[in-house]
Amino acid sequence: MKRDSGYSTTAEQQKQEEKLWDAMRITACVLGTGLLIFTALVNSVSGYVQNIWDTLGHFWQTSWLKFYYLFEGKEWTIFLLGAALVPGLAFWGFNGILMVADVTGKPTFITRYRIQLGKNDPVDTKKLRQAIYTALCNQFFVSLPMLVPMFYVMKWRGNTFSKELPTFHWFLVELSIFTLIEEILFYYTHRFVHLPLLYKHIHKKHHEWTAPIGVVSIYAHPVEHILSNTLPVMTGPMIMGSHIVSIAVWFSLALITTSISHCGYHLPFLPSPEFHDFHHFKFNQCYGVLGVLDYLHGTDTVFRQSKAYQRHRVLLSLTPLSESIPEAPRRAE
């Protein structure tokens, strides 16, 4: 009996491995096809936007040259401002507004869109101070030093500090590639830190917040901050040899979107945070950013059966989705 059990376990492991490899092959096929389709759409749809961009092109190009010569072409200074200061201001400016709502409960225009009703209402200020402290430590003592090797990689690529800005078409292509690379790296590194040993010693810190807020997006153990928060975002620009302006915009967008994913509010006209909020609520669902890999690996099955999945869309009205699609009432025991 024991021998049969051993064979059964081995067979199950082989099946799981085969299933994983099949999923990875499908992932590569889907993402590759998606990239080609997205690029084709960009080329067709962005033509009109390109005309607008061309109209403003002289203004942006002139402004960039003024900025470049203001700092006398000092590449490290320009890189530091574009890759650290601008994204940092975007992150803290956006989260500053959210923290006012978290602490004071005002304005109600924001707080009425809370996802997990009754949570962080108001937020625990002691926990908030700890989250802010950890986020600042990660930015200054982890992210900032990681910009040093990135600077030399970008300098070696030779295009980052060009006096000519990239075209709008090229920036959109880069943005799509950055997003796909982030999805792949974040999904697998995120699942990696959910392994029991790593979760206990590293990732558990981030999951102290079962109902997250915006600043918690970079509230993490330093190792996790490197693996899951920083490398997935930095890798795309290093592969593409991107311009510093593209890097500044991408880093800012990445920080704002992850803040939205963690903010705890499903606000009108902004991307839905339901997907990642559900991950904090259930722990073993919704590991990715876009949700493509979760679908392929079957790590969103519970989410797809939930009310949160029905709410997972851009809110185009002023009525909170928690009101129009409320949770089912709990059965009396």
Side-chain angles (χ1 to χ4, degrees):
M1 293 292 291
K2 290 182 178 178
R3 193 173 180 180
D4 291 341
S5 177
Y7 285 136
S8 177
T9 302
T10 303
E12 288 177 2
Q13 289 177 345
Q14 289 177 346
K15 286 181 180 179
Q16 288 178 354
E17 290 176 0
E18 290 174 2
K19 186 177 179 181
L20 178 61
W21 281 112
D22 287 341
M24 291 183 72
R25 282 194 291 269
I26 294 171
T27 298
C29 180
V30 170
L31 291 179
T33 305
L35 177 60
L36 290 174
I37 294 172
F38 184 83
T39 303
L41 288 173
V42 163
N43 287 331
S44 60
V45 174
S46 64
Y48 176 73
V49 182
Q50 179 67 49
N51 292 332
I52 300 174
W53 183 269
D54 289 340
T55 304
L56 297 172
H58 178 71
F59 169 76
W60 294 118
Q61 183 64 51
T62 303
S63 300
W64 161 244
L65 288 175
K66 286 180 180 179
F67 178 84
Y68 184 87
Y69 289 121
L70 176 65
F71 292 96
E72 300 175 347
K74 294 177 181 176
E75 294 179 346
W76 170 246
T77 303
I78 293 171
F79 184 75
L80 200 61
L81 291 172
L85 183 62
V86 171
L89 290 174
F91 177 82
W92 288 107
F94 183 75
N95 279 289
I97 296 171
L98 293 176
M99 283 190 285
V100 170
D102 292 331
V103 173
T104 66
K106 297 178 181 178
T108 54
F109 174 78
I110 293 178
T111 56
R112 70 191 293 251
Y113 296 99
R114 194 183 306 280
I115 296 173
Q116 296 189 40
L117 301 178
K119 302 288 184 70
N120 298 324
D121 189 17
V123 71
D124 184 330
T125 53
K126 184 178 179 180
K127 283 184 68 179
L128 177 60
R129 285 195 296 270
Q130 180 62 34
I132 293 171
Y133 173 78
T134 302
L136 287 170
C137 286
N138 279 336
Q139 284 184 316
F140 281 99
F141 301 116
V142 180
S143 296
L144 197 59
M146 289 181 70
L147 291 178
V148 177
M150 184 183 181
F151 168 75
Y152 287 104
V153 170
M154 305 313 293
K155 191 176 174 68
W156 170 69
R157 294 302 302 271
N159 187 55
T160 301
F161 305 101
S162 170
K163 294 179 184 178
E164 184 177 351
L165 291 176
T167 65
F168 183 69
H169 278 87
W170 181 245
F171 172 70
L172 290 181
V173 170
E174 283 190 313
L175 197 61
S176 65
I177 294 172
F178 296 165
T179 303
L180 288 175
I181 290 173
E182 182 193 25
E183 168 73 1
I184 293 167
L185 294 181
F186 180 77
Y187 179 86
Y188 290 112
T189 57
H190 191 187
R191 286 200 68 176
F192 180 64
V193 295
H194 266 268
L195 294 174
L197 184 62
L198 295 178
Y199 182 85
K200 179 181 179 181
H201 296 288
I202 295 174
H203 192 48
K204 188 176 181 179
K205 182 180 183 69
H206 184 67
H207 274 283
E208 290 172 4
W209 291 77
T210 55
I213 60 173
V215 73
V216 169
S217 56
I218 56 173
Y219 173 76
H221 188 283
V223 173
E224 179 186 353
H225 188 63
I226 293 171
L227 290 177
S228 295
N229 293 345
T230 309
L231 283 177
V233 177
M234 288 174 55
T235 302
M238 288 193 289
I239 290 174
M240 300 299 293
S242 302
H243 195 278
I244 184 59
V245 172
S246 299
I247 294 172
V249 174
W250 165 240
F251 281 10
S252 300
L253 285 174
L255 283 169
I256 290 174
T257 53
T258 191
S259 296
I260 292 172
S261 295
H262 287 85
C263 73
Y265 303 107
H266 195 146
L267 297 168
F269 313 113
L270 291 181
S272 167
E274 301 279 354
F275 187 77
H276 194 74
D277 195 272
F278 194 82
H279 173 74
H280 277 261
F281 185 62
K282 290 292 186 181
F283 297 97
N284 61 352
Q285 290 279 298
C286 308
Y287 294 98
V289 179
L290 302 176
V292 177
L293 291 175
D294 284 282
Y295 178 76
L296 293 173
H297 287 293
T299 49
D300 64 348
T301 51
V302 176
F303 174 67
R304 286 177 173 274
Q305 297 168 6
S306 69
K307 290 286 187 178
Y309 178 68
Q310 297 177 35
R311 295 191 293 265
H312 185 46
R313 54 187 168 84
V314 176
L315 176 58
L316 298 177
S317 72
L318 297 180
T319 303
L321 285 170
S322 58
E323 294 179 9
S324 57
I325 310 176
E327 291 290 336
R330 293 183 179 181
R331 294 179 181 178
E333 295 181 1

